[in-house]
Amino acid sequence: MGHEATGTDPDLRDAPPTRGEQLPPTHAEMTLGIGLLRDGPVSDAHHLLLLAARTLRTTDLARSREAAVHACLAAWSAGDRDGYLTALDALCPSTAPTDGEPPAADGDDPLDAFWRAYRDGMHSVLHGDFERANALLGPILNILRAQQQTSRLLSAGTIALMLGDLVAARQVLGLALATARCEATPTFLPRVLEHLAYAELREGRYHQARVHAQAGLEAAGEHPQRNVTAGLSAVLALAASIAGDPDEVATHAQSALHIAHAHGLGQTRTLAEWARARADLGHGNAEHAAARLAPLVHEGPRQGHFGLWMMVVPCYIEATVLAGHDADPEHLIDQYARWASRGADPQAPAVVLRCRALVANDEHSEDLFTAALARHEKVDSPYEHARTHLAYGMWLRRRRRFVEARAQLRSAVMGFDQCGADVWTKQADAELRAAGETPTAVPTARSGTGPPAQLTPQQQRIAHLVAQGATNREVARQLSISTRTVEYHLRNIFTHLGVRSRVALTRCLEPELPLPAPADSTGRDRI
């Protein structure tokens, strides 16, 4: 599976030597297709560009390949795997696939060898053969990186993302950003910023991703490209799902989905829906997260983008476990494990172990958590590393092993803080308080003089969740305790604070918390 931000970049056409030929005027099909690719239905763009590639094949091979690369990008944006493969084949229609050797063998035309290697490398990515993909695409990446031009650096960064080399992707795209600004190429700038922000997201650098995605939106506003704008909005939604508030996530996700649905942007839709689900999970609503993610990870018409959906699986596994669903996720974990074993994502092997730990019985969970943490030590992935510390700490706390739980939860707080995952820092802080420790760096209501100071850390957490509108069952699931325990604590909270209802509790906690929605007719305003 490929899993970069936007498939392949149309400006890869400029990468091989051009021999000084002057390109002829573009055909009407290509002009319209490129326009739709930036601001219109991408399936229409794909068909037009593929038609142009075939029409120009015998008269202008360079222009034909240009159209084919644009058709690849359109198919990727649409989530059309078969269309993507068809467009790749249009790059070199007259030659059979190579045997996996890098480009420019003796006697080969360098230009033809370049495109065959590119085509076969991308085929290998889509078929999960990353060893062959690296052999074919690695030399191409190095050629592009050495040329120090925005279009070529953008293409190099895209290939690095395809190969899972996140460090190289961020470095190359950072250089592409600098050259785009120096070259004053305004149409490139939003796309470079979109790719760079996505690379930073993948590395767990959420604050930087938000800054670059926001800059991309501002740049795109000067030269309207709604499909690029939708992609940037989806990236912002993903960043906000880790480092922002629910309203911010909803705003960006809705902006992305509005365009994605109208223009058939399957990639953008997957990223935006994933962002909404991650926000739900980060704010304790595992039920909603699982419901949003289920269509993306299961076969069907709403399945996520062919190159991205596998990355959604760990979030779905965690949501189903926290929501207490009975569904057996083992087959999905096995699929994710096979994908992870191919080397597409350096963080994935540790995440596989965390997923297995979440669904295993007590006899095996601890060993799996420990193995996951050991694997994290080999890769610079602070966000996923912190997620594993948090999951292990929660597992230990549920078993009343509070001293060990606090050690894991402290590590989670520091890890989330390091990568700017503010939403998860708050959740880890709350777990740490529930395990019996109040972090000195995070002030709590207990240190004040108001009514909440009368409550224990666990009572404070329950009171805040209830005041935010959570039912007793939802509170129980989020805190991994029984509904009876929630009811017991809630009675004591009411007694300590001198209130008799959930609405009164909310008013007592003001101005700390917003007023929740009115109680419904099913008795949400009862203990």
Side-chain angles (χ1 to χ4, degrees), residues 397 425-435 437 439 457-458 461:
R397 186 178 71 77
T425 300
K426 292 175 183 176
Q427 186 173 140
D429 281 336
E431 284 288 337
L432 193 53
R433 292 195 295 273
E437 178 178 317
Q458 184 76 314
R461 196 170 183 209

Side-chain angles (χ1 to χ4, degrees), residues 244-403:
D245 59 60
D247 289 341
E248 184 181 359
V249 176
T251 297
H252 293 309
Q254 287 167 5
S255 295
L257 289 169
H258 177 72
I259 301 171
H261 291 315
H263 292 178
L265 304 174
Q267 169 190 291
T268 297
R269 180 184 67 83
T270 296
L271 294 177
E273 292 289 6
W274 185 19
R276 294 166 76 183
R278 289 211 305 189
D280 287 335
L281 187 59
H283 289 89
N285 198 335
E287 287 276 5
H288 283 184
R292 288 191 196 281
L293 293 172
L296 297 181
V297 301
H298 294 302
E299 292 185 5
R302 295 176 60 200
Q303 187 175 39
H305 187 280
F306 66 88
L308 302 173
W309 75 268
M310 192 61 71
M311 291 191 297
V312 177
V313 169
C315 192
Y316 175 71
I317 299 300
E318 186 169 351
T320 57
V321 169
L322 291 175
H325 290 179
D326 295 329
D328 181 9
E330 288 288 352
H331 71 287
L332 274 175
I333 298 177
D334 289 342
Q335 282 183 282
Y336 183 76
R338 287 193 293 272
W339 175 79
S341 69
R342 295 166 178 165
D345 188 332
Q347 307 168 112
V351 177
V352 170
L353 292 167
R354 181 177 77 218
C355 289
R356 295 202 186 282
L358 288 169
V359 302
N361 55 37
D362 283 2
E363 182 181 354
H364 299 105
S365 285
E366 188 156 18
D367 288 342
L368 288 165
F369 276 125
T370 302
L373 290 171
R375 291 298 295 263
H376 279 303
E377 292 292 343
K378 300 176 181 179
V379 180
D380 182 18
S381 56
Y383 171 70
E384 293 296 347
H385 199 161
R387 286 284 295 270
T388 301
H389 279 301
L390 175 60
Y392 188 21
M394 292 172 65
W395 184 88
L396 290 166
R397 186 178 71 77
R398 289 199 298 270
R399 284 147 188 82
R400 306 187 68 80
R401 293 165 59 179
F402 297 119
V403 174

Side-chain angles (χ1 to χ4, degrees), residues 192-210:
V192 172
L193 286 163
E194 179 188 7
H195 283 66
L196 178 57
Y198 182 79
E200 289 166 337
L201 279 180
R202 293 281 312 286
E203 269 203 305
R205 301 171 185 272
Y206 294 98
H207 286 322
Q208 296 98 315
R210 292 178 79 183

Side-chain angles (χ1 to χ4, degrees), residues 133-202:
N134 272 284
L136 290 164
L137 296 175
I140 292 176
L141 190 158
N142 292 331
I143 290 170
L144 296 171
R145 177 161 41 186
Q147 294 184 18
Q148 301 292 301
Q149 294 180 24
T150 302
S151 63
R152 295 172 170 115
L153 290 168
L154 178 56
S155 298
T158 299
I159 291 172
L161 282 167
M162 289 285 275
L163 297 176
D165 190 345
L166 303 182
V167 173
R170 186 169 54 82
Q171 291 173 346
V172 171
L173 291 167
L175 185 57
L177 176 61
T179 59
R181 286 170 169 162
C182 291
E183 293 171 1
T185 49
T187 56
F188 273 122
L189 192 57
R191 289 157 50 208
V192 172
L193 286 163
E194 179 188 7
H195 283 66
L196 178 57
Y198 182 79
E200 289 166 337
L201 279 180
R202 293 281 312 286

Side-chain angles (χ1 to χ4, degrees), residues 163 260 371 424 509:
L163 297 176
W424 289 90
L509 295 179

